[in-house]
């Protein structure tokens, strides 16, 4: 199989079948639940959709592993299936997890509400205070979990310290890399054991499927696969096809979104009605230097606060014409949302307050519309707040 150096070439060619199947340029969909027995010795090797090993899965998984220069990848039925299955693979009853305090709402709920029913305990850590982590360590701590950029405040934890700490204390390091995408950050290159994605977002990019990915060390991905085989969170071949098609344009989409998000963040930061902008590409961002050092781009996500609180935020959301008011992110269309009412609505108001997620915070997922049109639309919407 040919080896490619550059991400953009890998997006198109890595993992593709050689020779092409019947000459097909696009990977055909193998919509068959099961395949003729071929002498496989192991249950997990029998070709079956739930075992995530049909031709569509295998080709896609090879490509996804190549994108982060990792040994292996596994697709799953959703980002949450990838995250929960990975956690339930590296943690067993009696184990303890260290997790960053500000997490995507679904992950936060799983950690705080569900883990205890499996006999697994946790402590939250502040991603930017590595000196405080050791105090939270227990003899049964087995893993550490962070997000590349936190949702929705875009904090960048001390990622290098996470890897170092995990190695020193023999922990499995897991990172949700959804917000950055492999274009901007590739966790396995920095020593993370497992990189997780909601492929619903940037990897697919077209807001038309729900999918997840686990990327990383082959022996760990294999263990996650076996757990997923039993839990059943597989990805259908048609969704594999759509993700495969979507991911080919990841490079051009995300680099465009990086540029537009920076322009929008700069515009908002200079606007008199905006009191705060969270975007790691701004020099005013507390972790800007780290983001500059580690990332190839600052991403397409930002959040901001208006003078005037919830009423001003609601008026802005009503006034804005181009963006769609919808949860989720990472697609080609710009979306705006108030996390307190969507992604983080499951969190208690006290927890949101403690983390700095105010009711008036507006989160933007920048799409691939022309940046000038977006800026003009935000300007008119702010003028009428
Ligand atoms: N991780 C992050 C950062 C997310 O934003 C989301 C969803 O919004 C998820 C994981 C969960 O992904 P999914 O909805 O594909 O299960």
């Amino acid at each position: 199989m040919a080896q490619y150096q550059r991400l953009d070439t890998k997006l198109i060619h890595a993992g593709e079948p050689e020779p092409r199947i019947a000459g097909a340029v696009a990977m055909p969909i193998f919509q068959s639940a099961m395949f003729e027995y071929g002498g496989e010795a192991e249950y997990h090797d029998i070709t079956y959709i739930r075992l995530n090993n049909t031709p569509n899965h295998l080709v896609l998984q090879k490509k996804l592993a190549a994108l982060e220069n990792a040994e292996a990848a596994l697709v799953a039925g959703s980002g949450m299936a990838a995250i929960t299955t990975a956690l339930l693979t590296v943690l067993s009853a009696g184990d303890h997890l260290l997790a960053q305090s500000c997490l995507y709402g679904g992950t936060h709920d799983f950690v705080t509400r569900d883990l205890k029913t499996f006999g697994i305990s946790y402590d939250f850590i502040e991603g930017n205070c590595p000196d405080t982590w050791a105090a939270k360590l227990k003899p049964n701590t087995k893993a550490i979990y962070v997000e590349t950029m936190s949702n929705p405040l875009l904090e960048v934890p001390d990622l290098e310290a996470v890897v170092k700490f995990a190695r020193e204390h023999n922990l499995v390091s897991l990172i949700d890399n959804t917000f950055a995408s492999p274009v901007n950050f590739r966790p396995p290159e920095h020593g993370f054991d497992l990189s997780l994605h909601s492929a619903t977002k940037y990897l697919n990019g077209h807001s038309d499927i729900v999918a997840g990915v686990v990327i990383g060390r082959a022996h760990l991905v294999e263990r996650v696969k076996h757990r997923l085989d039993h839990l059943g969170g597989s990805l259908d071949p048609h969704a594999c096809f759509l993700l495969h098609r979507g991911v080919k344009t990841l490079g051009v989409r995300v680099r465009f979104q990086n540029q537009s998000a920076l322009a929008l963040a700069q515009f908002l930061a200079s606007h008199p009605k905006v009191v705060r902008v969270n975007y790691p590409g701004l020099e005013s961002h507390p972790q800007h230097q780290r983001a500059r050092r580690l990332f190839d781009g600052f991403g397409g996500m930002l959040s901001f606060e208006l003078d005037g609180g919830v009423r001003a935020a609601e008026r802005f959301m009503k006034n804005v014409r181009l963006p769609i008011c919808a949860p989720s992110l990472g697609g080609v269309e710009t979306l705006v949302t108030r996390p307190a009412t969507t992604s983080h609505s499951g969190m208690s108001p006290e927890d949101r307050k403690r983390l700095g997620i105010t009711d008036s915070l507006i989160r933007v997922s920048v799409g691939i519309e022309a940046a000038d049109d977006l800026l003009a639309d935000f300007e008119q919407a702010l003028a009428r707040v």
Side-chain angles (χ1 to χ4, degrees):
M1 171 134 343
Q3 293 294 315
Y4 313 102
Q5 294 302 318
R6 302 277 180 198
L7 183 101
D8 295 272
T9 313
K10 290 178 186 173
L11 284 165
I12 308 302
H13 294 292
E16 296 293 324
E18 290 179 14
R20 296 179 200 293
I21 298 163
V25 171
M27 178 68 188
I29 308 174
F30 285 79
Q31 197 71 48
S32 179
M34 69 288 276
F35 290 68
E36 202 172 359
Y37 179 65
E40 296 84 1
E42 261 268 326
Y43 165 75
H44 295 282
D45 296 334
I46 293 165
T47 310
Y48 186 58
I49 290 177
R50 177 165 49 76
L51 305 182
N52 270 307
N53 58 3
T54 74
N56 289 97
H57 293 100
L58 298 181
V59 165
L60 181 56
Q61 286 166 173
K62 251 191 193 163
K63 191 186 290 290
L64 291 165
L67 299 186
E68 292 197 348
N69 287 318
E71 291 169 3
L74 173 73
V75 291
S78 68
M80 282 309 292
I83 292 166
T84 56
T85 309
L87 284 172
L88 293 177
T89 301
V90 301
L91 298 165
S92 307
D95 289 346
H96 174 253
L97 169 74
L98 290 179
Q100 186 185 346
S101 60
C102 189
L103 291 172
Y104 161 64
T107 310
H108 185 274
D109 289 355
F110 179 72
V111 168
T112 55
R113 296 183 194 176
D114 297 328
L115 275 187
K116 59 176 174 283
T117 68
F118 294 94
I120 299 164
S121 59
Y122 70 92
D123 270 298
F124 281 131
I125 51 166
E126 292 313 314
N128 275 302
C129 306
D131 295 349
T132 62
W133 300 346
K136 301 270 176 87
L137 206 59
K138 296 190 169 158
N140 55 342
T141 308
K142 291 285 164 55
I144 182 164
Y145 184 102
V146 295
E147 294 180 357
T148 315
M149 287 179 242
S150 73
N151 179 1
L153 295 173
L154 285 309
E155 267 173 25
V156 182
D158 192 338
L159 300 171
E160 290 152 310
V162 172
V163 171
K164 190 164 168 272
F165 187 82
R167 290 200 173 143
E168 278 168 9
H169 300 287
N170 208 17
L171 313 178
V172 178
S173 52
L174 302 101
I175 181 166
D176 181 335
N177 196 36
T178 301
F179 269 37
S181 94
V183 175
N184 291 329
F185 187 64
R186 293 163 297 282
E189 290 179 358
H190 296 266
F192 277 93
D193 296 313
L194 290 176
S195 164
L196 313 169
H197 290 263
S198 167
T200 313
K201 321 296 193 232
Y202 289 103
L203 288 175
N204 179 58
H206 291 76
S207 314
D208 51 12
I209 59 162
V210 167
V213 182
V214 179
I215 304 176
R217 299 192 193 284
H219 73 281
L220 282 174
V221 174
E222 179 75 3
R223 281 178 54 205
V224 179
K225 177 195 166 346
H226 286 198
R227 184 62 39 115
L228 190 69
D229 289 350
H230 294 154
L231 293 175
S234 59
L235 192 66
D236 182 81
H238 188 251
C240 288
F241 166 81
L242 287 172
L243 176 54
H244 190 151
R245 183 171 75 165
V247 82
K248 287 186 182 178
T249 55
L250 182 75
V252 287
R253 281 189 282 108
V254 169
R255 283 193 204 98
F256 192 90
Q257 286 163 316
N258 285 344
Q259 280 181 16
S260 300
L262 181 59
L264 186 60
Q266 285 166 342
F267 164 76
L268 289 170
S270 66
H271 197 285
K273 290 187 181 168
V274 176
V275 291
R276 181 176 151 198
V277 182
N278 305 308
Y279 185 66
L282 292 178
E283 278 179 24
S284 57
H285 186 281
Q287 295 96 38
H288 174 68
Q289 289 310 330
R290 175 178 304 139
R292 184 170 277 286
R293 188 172 72 252
L294 297 180
F295 300 165
D296 293 338
F298 300 111
M301 298 298 299
L302 61 93
S303 56
F304 68 100
E305 300 257 10
L306 290 176
D307 195 9
V310 175
R311 282 191 55 195
E314 276 177 349
R315 273 205 297 272
F316 173 82
M317 304 270 286
K318 258 200 198 110
N319 293 347
V320 90
R321 292 181 189 129
L322 263 185
I324 303 164
C325 295
S328 200
L329 59 112
V332 292
E333 47 288 290
T334 297
L335 305 179
V336 291
T337 180
R338 276 201 299 130
T341 63
T342 53
S343 57
H344 291 69
S345 58
M347 208 180 250
S348 70
E350 299 75 46
D351 279 347
R352 282 201 302 270
K353 193 167 174 210
R354 194 172 37 77
L355 294 170
I357 305 170
T358 62
D359 287 351
S360 53
L361 185 77
I362 299 171
R363 192 189 75 181
V364 187
S365 169
V366 177
I368 61 167
E369 301 92 342
D372 288 353
D373 284 341
L374 260 187
L375 261 61
D377 190 35
F378 271 60
E379 191 161 28
Q380 69 76 25
L382 287 168
R384 297 191 295 124
V385 158

